[in-house]
Amino acid sequence: MIVHNLLLKLHDRSSESIENTRKLLLSMNGRIEVIRDLKVFVDIRHAESSYDISLIAKFDSMDDFQTYLPHPVHVKIGNQLKSKLSAAANVCYEE
């Protein structure tokens, strides 16, 4: 199992902006067939160093993850988020 962790920090860190982003990310669920599990969490600490959102997506294989990256739904959502992000970080690992 491949696990993809993505951390996002938004320019607009309001509750409304974070919730809209969370819903946008969750909208990939069921629309990208190679995603086995998708969870999106919101930071509760609210420190300056905190990221606002954590996405955890699981895939059966690295090939499935590579299929996900250029998927039209993923690309569209990524393009919608680009201007809203002040920082992003990710890590992928095998479980």
Side-chain angles (χ1 to χ4, degrees):
M1 181 78 54
I2 302 300
V3 181
H4 173 59
N5 287 286
L6 175 66
L7 298 173
L8 303 176
K9 187 180 282 197
L10 306 178
H11 291 297
D12 177 359
R13 301 182 85 185
S14 69
S15 295
E16 181 181 357
S17 176
I18 291 169
E19 181 59 17
N20 288 340
T21 303
R22 185 186 77 82
K23 287 178 181 176
L24 180 63
L25 292 168
L26 284 172
S27 75
M28 289 188 290
N29 230 349
R31 297 173 59 205
I32 302 176
E33 58 283 343
V34 294
I35 296 175
R36 290 295 154 246
D37 188 44
L38 178 69
K39 293 187 171 101
V40 180
F41 301 97
V42 174
D43 175 61
I44 59 171
R45 186 168 171 232
H46 307 296
E48 185 59 34
S49 62
S50 296
Y51 282 72
D52 302 304
I53 293 174
S54 170
L55 174 144
I56 300 172
K58 294 184 177 183
F59 304 86
D60 288 337
S61 67
M62 198 62 182
D63 285 341
D64 285 352
F65 176 68
Q66 296 294 358
T67 298
Y68 158 79
L69 291 174
H71 191 284
V73 171
H74 176 249
V75 170
K76 182 178 179 182
I77 288 172
N79 287 336
Q80 288 177 280
L81 290 176
K82 278 182 187 175
S83 65
K84 298 177 183 191
L85 299 180
S86 65
N90 70 81
V91 62
C92 288
Y93 58 89
E94 195 164 9
E95 190 173 64

